[in-house]
Amino acid sequence: MQFTIGQTEIVRDSLGACCVVYGIYLEGYLFCKLRYSQLHKWNEKLRHYFGTNLVPHFPPKVYLALTESMAEERRLQLQQYLQKLGEDPVISVSEIFTALLKNAQQETFQIRARTILLEILLADGKRLVIDTHTSHSADRMLETIAQKVELSRQFLDRFALYLVCELPNGQYSVLKKLHAFELPYVSLWSLQDENCRIMIRKSYFDPLEDKTLMESSGGITLLYKQATYELERGWTTPTQEQYQKLKSFQDAEMKREFLESVEKVKFYGYVRFEACICDYPEPNSPAVVRVGNDEINCSIQLSNNRIKEISFKVNKIRCWKISLQVQDEVELKSELSFEYQDSCDLWQWITIYTHQAFLLSSCIQEVITDKLKLYEGYTEMQIENATSELRTTPWDSLSALSKHSGIVLQKMLLKK
């Protein structure tokens, strides 16, 4: 979970006293608004449940009026506190923490609890209507969708709900993956954009997972819809021979054969991002970015208008960071930079300027985590570091996930 506190506002409480309200963003989108006192109560509940040694340091109360610099320091301290909670593999998935988050989201946007008919997009843009509730979480809605498409419960963890936006050309841009505890209806409503929708998509990068999913008729249906959509939109790039073969399977509605063949197509299983700007190999270079198969793949337009394809392997990324720049006190401009080891063994920072920086960060993290799981001892290390009964200090993601194939997992969320 990637938390930031992107804005603050001064309001008056029920007694007329002024207090600061913090706008808390999750993966770059406003999730809830909370006062310091509310966050302090969170901290007390977490410390009571997990113990004082396991919960990150919480900024202390200040009984004098905060100066501008003190207020900014507190904002950064609270942001760091939330980031550490979101990285902790025990606290972040605990029922007490996710319940606090769900309540905060619902109370912030004041959505009346009621049953609704909600439109869900399948990965090919077709619509599915489900009977649900405004207070249902993403994992509960996913179960409802699975019943509709006849997807076995054992395969639910291979899919997730996403917020997407319909573009003028009829394609869809993925905005963010919804966490299991999030309230999809509230998240959608908070965007206040009639072009935004909720979509079900597969949530893994390893194409070998497809074979497991093809044991379920619902799994075949969902995979086929996503694969055909991405083929038709040019997200995958088959050879002419591969394309003709796939079209023949598609025309004959031979879904299993289609899926077995599309696995061999370039960029199958990748997440494709909207057009963006990259500072490598030349400044201000237009680029199309894809993530998958242990790489960040960039098709970059050079100054001579030639297209150069560059592959940045994840095992050569040492760390990455997201930088946010506030414009006009409202709009957030984001960029993602990663430190990369080139062919000469030199380290350099590569920056991608994109409004999908948080999604890009999440995809990199998922690819690296999947890669780390292949290494012997990873599972045991996770258990040893994550189990609350064995830990005596707050979770440190760097020490727990460091130096596997030259990788250090590090995310730094900065405000310029």
Side-chain angles (χ1 to χ4, degrees):
M1 278 183 271
Q2 302 175 103
F3 288 104
T4 52
I5 298 179
Q7 64 183 35
T8 60
E9 55 184 297
I10 307 297
V11 300
R12 293 189 179 276
D13 60 19
S14 57
L15 300 177
C18 291
C19 60
V20 179
V21 174
Y22 297 94
I24 298 172
Y25 288 71
L26 181 58
E27 266 81 62
Y29 292 89
L30 182 63
F31 180 76
C32 64
K33 294 182 179 182
L34 293 171
R35 301 191 303 275
Y36 173 88
S37 60
Q38 292 172 297
L39 287 167
H40 186 270
K41 289 179 181 178
W42 276 29
N43 182 62
E44 292 299 308
K45 290 181 180 179
L46 293 174
R47 284 164 65 90
H48 177 76
Y49 188 86
F50 291 104
T52 58
N53 292 331
L54 301 184
V55 178
H57 173 71
F58 188 82
K61 290 182 179 180
V62 177
Y63 294 97
L64 300 176
L66 293 174
T67 63
E68 185 174 344
S69 61
M70 292 169 64
E72 175 63 8
E73 183 180 5
R74 170 172 279 188
R75 184 192 70 82
L76 292 173
Q77 289 173 341
L78 290 171
Q79 178 174 269
Q80 186 180 47
Y81 170 78
L82 290 172
Q83 288 168 4
K84 288 183 176 179
L85 289 178
E87 290 175 350
D88 190 298
V90 173
I91 296 177
S92 63
V93 298
S94 65
E95 187 175 345
I96 183 173
F97 184 59
T98 55
L100 290 169
L101 289 169
K102 281 194 291 187
N103 290 338
Q105 186 184 21
Q106 199 159 26
E107 291 172 6
T108 295
F109 297 103
Q110 295 292 303
I111 301 296
R112 183 171 62 87
R114 67 186 190 278
T115 57
I116 55 171
L117 293 176
L118 183 62
E119 186 179 84
I120 303 293
L121 289 183
L122 301 177
D124 63 350
K126 300 291 176 56
R127 286 159 168 76
L128 177 73
V129 177
I130 63 170
D131 190 351
T132 184
H133 199 278
T134 56
S135 62
H136 282 178
S137 59
D139 57 352
R140 187 164 178 180
M141 282 193 187
L142 197 57
E143 291 180 1
T144 303
I145 298 168
Q147 291 177 353
K148 283 265 190 177
V149 299
E150 299 181 346
L151 176 69
S152 302
R153 289 177 60 87
Q154 68 189 87
F155 301 127
L156 275 177
D157 61 344
R158 268 74 164 194
F159 292 91
L161 298 182
Y162 292 79
L163 288 178
V164 301
C165 183
E166 186 173 6
L167 302 176
N169 60 7
Q171 296 192 30
Y172 292 94
S173 170
V174 179
L175 303 180
K176 65 167 288 189
K177 177 182 176 180
L178 293 172
H179 291 276
F181 62 82
E182 285 188 72
L183 310 179
Y185 178 81
V186 179
S187 296
L188 181 64
W189 184 90
S190 68
L191 295 177
Q192 293 293 291
D193 188 336
E194 62 182 10
N195 294 316
C196 291
R197 304 283 189 274
I198 299 169
M199 176 181 281
I200 180 172
R201 298 171 53 86
K202 65 180 184 181
S203 60
Y204 57 86
F205 284 93
D206 186 358
L208 295 177
E209 292 280 357
D210 286 4
K211 290 181 171 57
T212 304
L213 274 175
M214 283 194 281
E215 297 174 11
S216 164
S217 61
I220 290 177
T221 298
L222 292 176
L223 287 177
Y224 180 76
K225 287 180 176 295
Q226 185 165 337
T228 53
Y229 176 87
E230 293 176 357
L231 175 68
E232 292 165 0
R233 298 302 186 278
W235 290 17
T236 54
T237 56
T239 64
Q240 186 62 34
E241 182 181 352
Q242 287 175 326
Y243 182 77
Q244 291 175 352
K245 187 175 182 180
L246 290 169
K247 289 302 291 182
S248 65
F249 286 142
Q250 189 176 358
D251 293 341
E253 296 187 357
M254 300 171 67
K255 297 180 181 179
R256 183 180 294 274
E257 291 78 3
F258 179 95
L259 291 171
E260 290 172 349
S261 295
V262 79
E263 288 179 2
K264 305 177 183 69
V265 172
K266 187 176 182 179
F267 298 136
Y268 175 71
Y270 284 60
V271 172
R272 185 182 187 276
F273 295 80
E274 286 186 56
C276 56
I277 300 295
C278 183
D279 70 349
Y280 180 89
E282 300 173 350
N284 300 317
S285 298
V288 173
V289 175
R290 300 174 176 89
V291 175
N293 194 28
D294 301 335
E295 69 167 341
I296 304 172
N297 185 283
C298 298
S299 296
I300 297 172
Q301 181 179 336
L302 304 178
S303 55
N304 59 7
N305 289 328
R306 287 196 307 110
I307 301 298
K308 182 175 183 178
E309 184 179 313
I310 302 176
S311 172
F312 298 103
K313 299 298 183 181
V314 297
N315 63 349
K316 292 190 174 184
I317 295 175
R318 181 156 62 182
C319 60
W320 72 94
K321 63 183 179 181
I322 294 174
S323 299
L324 301 176
Q325 186 174 13
V326 180
Q327 293 194 348
D328 301 325
E329 299 183 355
V330 177
E331 186 178 7
L332 289 176
K333 293 292 185 180
S334 61
E335 61 192 56
L336 183 140
S337 303
F338 56 92
E339 193 175 14
Y340 191 75
Q341 186 180 31
D342 63 19
S343 56
C344 299
D345 292 334
L346 299 176
W347 291 96
Q348 62 177 312
W349 283 95
I350 310 295
T351 300
I352 298 172
Y353 302 90
T354 170
H355 73 91
Q356 295 173 296
F358 282 94
L359 179 65
L360 179 55
S361 174
S362 297
C363 290
I364 296 171
Q365 180 171 327
E366 289 178 23
V367 170
I368 292 179
T369 301
D370 286 346
K371 190 174 182 64
L372 290 180
K373 289 178 181 178
L374 300 176
Y375 286 83
E376 184 180 358
Y378 173 82
T379 303
E380 289 77 6
M381 180 192 67
Q382 280 282 64
I383 294 172
E384 181 179 352
N385 284 279
T387 305
S388 59
E389 288 80 7
L390 299 179
R391 287 163 50 201
T392 57
T393 59
W395 171 258
D396 184 349
S397 62
L398 296 184
S399 64
L401 298 174
S402 63
K403 304 230 178 259
H404 284 261
S405 188
I407 300 169
V408 178
L409 284 184
Q410 180 179 359
K411 302 187 300 300
M412 298 172 284
L413 305 179
L414 308 176
K415 181 180 177 183
K416 291 183 176 179

